[in-house]
Amino acid sequence: QVQLVESGGGLVQAGGSLRLSCAASGRTFSRYNMGWFRQAPGKEREFVATISWSGDNTYYADSVKGRFTISRDNAKNTEYLQMNSLKPEDTAVYYCAAGGIGGIRTSDYGYWGQGTQVTVSS
């Protein structure tokens, strides 16, 4: 079992930066591939980024590639999403997720946080 709690969301102007954190409970955090997803009002939840259990491998959605960076600190049981050059279209609730498979589909992950709101003003 893994429990996930996101933090770091907020309101930022276009071009600004935010860093999201996802704190995990349990001693098995390092065994899970981790991911970030987001959901804007009226839209389906979409993949943002994923990182392997070791942190050696990452993969990003085209819409955030070059602007967002996913990382993790297994000693701290924490995953991060550094978001730079934010755009109004990045506005969404951001969710962290843990799963044995990883991947880009929501079904690849078995554990989810409650989400944190990110709002980017133009």
Side-chain angles (χ1 to χ4, degrees), residues 2-3 5 7 14-15 17 19-20 22 28 30 32 39 43 51 59-62 80 85 88 93-94 101 114:
V2 177
Q3 292 184 322
V5 179
S7 61
S17 298
R19 188 174 84 153
L20 305 183
C22 175
T28 60
S30 62
Y32 291 97
Q39 188 166 18
K43 295 188 176 181
I51 186 167
Y59 184 75
Y60 298 90
D62 287 343
Y80 304 98
S85 302
V93 177
Y94 283 70
I101 298 175
Q114 83 290 346

Coordinates of all heavy atoms in Angstrom, one line a residue, residues 2-3 5 7 14-15 17 19-20 22 28 30 32 39 43 51 59-62 80 85 88 93-94 101 114:
V2 N 0.5 2.2 -0.8 CA 1.2 3.5 -0.8 C 0.1 4.6 -0.8 O -0.9 4.6 -1.5 CB 2.0 3.6 -2.2 CG1 2.6 5.0 -2.2 CG2 3.0 2.6 -2.3
Q3 N 0.3 5.6 0.1 CA -0.5 6.7 0.1 C 0.3 7.9 -0.4 O 1.4 8.1 0.0 CB -1.0 7.0 1.6 CG -2.0 5.9 2.0 CD -2.6 6.2 3.4 OE1 -1.9 6.7 4.3 NE2 -3.9 5.9 3.6
V5 N 0.5 12.2 -1.2 CA -0.1 13.5 -0.9 C 0.7 14.5 -1.7 O 1.9 14.7 -1.5 CB 0.0 13.8 0.6 CG1 -0.5 15.2 0.9 CG2 -0.7 12.8 1.4
S7 N 1.6 18.5 -3.0 CA 1.6 19.8 -2.5 C 2.4 20.7 -3.6 O 3.1 20.2 -4.5 CB 2.3 19.9 -1.2 OG 3.7 19.5 -1.3
A14 N 1.8 33.4 -16.4 CA 2.4 32.8 -17.5 C 3.9 33.1 -17.6 O 4.3 34.2 -17.4 CB 1.7 33.2 -18.8
G15 N 4.7 32.1 -17.9 CA 6.1 32.2 -17.9 C 6.8 31.9 -16.6 O 8.0 31.8 -16.5
S17 N 7.2 29.7 -12.7 CA 7.5 28.3 -12.4 C 6.9 27.9 -11.1 O 6.5 28.7 -10.2 CB 9.1 28.2 -12.2 OG 9.8 28.5 -13.4
R19 N 7.1 24.2 -8.4 CA 7.5 22.8 -8.2 C 6.5 22.0 -7.3 O 6.2 22.4 -6.2 CB 8.9 22.8 -7.5 CG 9.5 21.3 -7.4 CD 10.9 21.3 -6.9 NE 10.9 21.2 -5.4 CZ 11.9 20.7 -4.7 NH1 12.9 20.1 -5.3 NH2 11.8 20.7 -3.4
L20 N 6.0 21.0 -7.9 CA 5.1 20.1 -7.2 C 5.9 19.0 -6.5 O 6.9 18.5 -7.0 CB 4.1 19.5 -8.1 CG 3.3 20.5 -9.0 CD1 2.2 19.7 -9.8 CD2 2.6 21.5 -8.2
C22 N 5.3 15.3 -4.2 CA 4.4 14.2 -3.9 C 5.0 13.3 -2.8 O 6.0 12.6 -3.1 CB 4.1 13.3 -5.1 SG 3.1 11.9 -4.8
T28 N 7.8 1.0 0.6 CA 8.0 0.4 -0.7 C 8.0 1.4 -1.8 O 8.0 1.0 -3.0 CB 6.9 -0.7 -1.0 OG1 5.6 0.0 -0.9 CG2 7.0 -1.8 0.1
S30 N 10.3 3.1 -3.2 CA 11.4 2.9 -4.2 C 11.1 1.8 -5.2 O 11.8 1.6 -6.2 CB 12.7 2.7 -3.5 OG 12.7 1.5 -2.7
Y32 N 8.3 1.5 -6.8 CA 7.3 1.9 -7.8 C 7.8 2.8 -8.8 O 8.5 3.8 -8.5 CB 6.1 2.5 -7.1 CG 5.3 1.6 -6.2 CD1 5.5 1.5 -4.8 CD2 4.3 0.8 -6.8 CE1 4.8 0.6 -4.1 CE2 3.5 0.0 -6.0 CZ 3.8 -0.1 -4.6 OH 3.0 -1.0 -3.9
Q39 N -5.6 17.1 -15.0 CA -7.0 17.1 -15.5 C -7.6 18.5 -15.4 O -7.7 19.1 -14.3 CB -7.9 16.1 -14.6 CG -9.3 15.9 -15.2 CD -10.0 14.8 -14.6 OE1 -9.6 14.3 -13.5 NE2 -11.0 14.3 -15.3
K43 N -12.3 18.0 -19.1 CA -11.4 17.2 -19.9 C -11.0 15.9 -19.2 O -11.1 15.8 -18.0 CB -10.1 17.9 -20.3 CG -10.4 19.1 -21.2 CD -9.1 19.7 -21.8 CE -9.4 20.8 -22.7 NZ -8.1 21.4 -23.2
I51 N 8.5 8.5 -14.3 CA 9.9 8.2 -13.9 C 10.0 6.8 -13.3 O 9.1 6.3 -12.6 CB 10.4 9.2 -12.9 CG1 11.9 9.0 -12.6 CG2 9.6 9.2 -11.6 CD1 12.5 10.2 -11.8
Y59 N 10.1 10.0 -19.0 CA 9.3 10.1 -20.3 C 8.3 11.2 -20.1 O 7.7 11.3 -19.0 CB 8.7 8.8 -20.7 CG 8.0 8.9 -22.0 CD1 8.8 8.9 -23.2 CD2 6.6 9.0 -22.1 CE1 8.1 9.0 -24.5 CE2 6.0 9.0 -23.4 CZ 6.8 9.0 -24.5 OH 6.2 9.1 -25.7
Y60 N 8.1 12.1 -21.1 CA 7.3 13.2 -21.0 C 6.2 13.3 -22.1 O 6.5 12.9 -23.2 CB 8.1 14.5 -21.0 CG 9.1 14.7 -19.9 CD1 10.4 14.2 -20.0 CD2 8.7 15.3 -18.7 CE1 11.3 14.3 -19.0 CE2 9.6 15.4 -17.6 CZ 10.9 14.9 -17.8 OH 11.8 15.0 -16.8
A61 N 5.1 13.9 -21.8 CA 4.2 14.2 -22.9 C 4.8 15.3 -23.7 O 5.6 16.2 -23.2 CB 2.9 14.7 -22.3
D62 N 4.5 15.3 -25.0 CA 5.0 16.3 -25.9 C 4.7 17.7 -25.5 O 5.5 18.6 -25.7 CB 4.5 16.1 -27.3 CG 5.1 14.8 -28.0 OD1 6.2 14.3 -27.5 OD2 4.6 14.4 -29.0
Y80 N 8.9 14.7 -7.5 CA 8.8 16.1 -7.8 C 8.4 16.3 -9.2 O 8.7 15.5 -10.1 CB 10.1 16.8 -7.5 CG 10.6 16.6 -6.1 CD1 11.6 15.7 -5.8 CD2 10.2 17.4 -5.1 CE1 12.1 15.5 -4.6 CE2 10.7 17.2 -3.8 CZ 11.6 16.3 -3.5 OH 12.1 16.1 -2.3
S85 N 8.4 27.8 -17.4 CA 7.7 28.4 -18.6 C 6.3 28.0 -18.7 O 5.8 27.6 -19.8 CB 8.5 28.0 -19.9 OG 9.8 28.3 -19.8
P88 N -1.0 29.2 -19.8 CA -2.4 29.1 -19.3 C -3.0 27.7 -19.6 O -3.8 27.2 -18.8 CB -3.1 30.2 -20.1 CG -2.1 31.2 -20.4 CD -0.8 30.5 -20.6
V93 N -5.8 20.4 -12.4 CA -5.5 19.7 -11.1 C -4.4 18.6 -11.5 O -4.6 17.8 -12.4 CB -6.7 19.0 -10.5 CG1 -6.3 18.2 -9.3 CG2 -7.8 20.0 -10.2
Y94 N -3.3 18.7 -10.8 CA -2.2 17.7 -11.0 C -2.2 16.6 -10.0 O -2.3 16.9 -8.8 CB -0.9 18.5 -11.0 CG -0.6 19.3 -12.2 CD1 -1.4 20.4 -12.5 CD2 0.3 18.9 -13.1 CE1 -1.2 21.1 -13.7 CE2 0.5 19.6 -14.3 CZ -0.2 20.7 -14.6 OH 0.0 21.4 -15.7
I101 N 3.8 -0.8 -13.2 CA 4.0 -0.8 -14.6 C 4.6 0.6 -15.1 O 5.4 0.6 -16.0 CB 2.8 -1.1 -15.4 CG1 2.3 -2.6 -15.0 CG2 3.0 -1.0 -16.9 CD1 1.0 -2.9 -15.7
Q114 N -4.6 13.0 -4.0 CA -5.8 13.7 -4.1 C -5.8 14.9 -5.1 O -6.9 15.4 -5.4 CB -6.2 14.2 -2.7 CG -5.6 15.6 -2.3 CD -4.1 15.4 -2.0 OE1 -3.5 14.4 -1.9 NE2 -3.4 16.6 -1.9

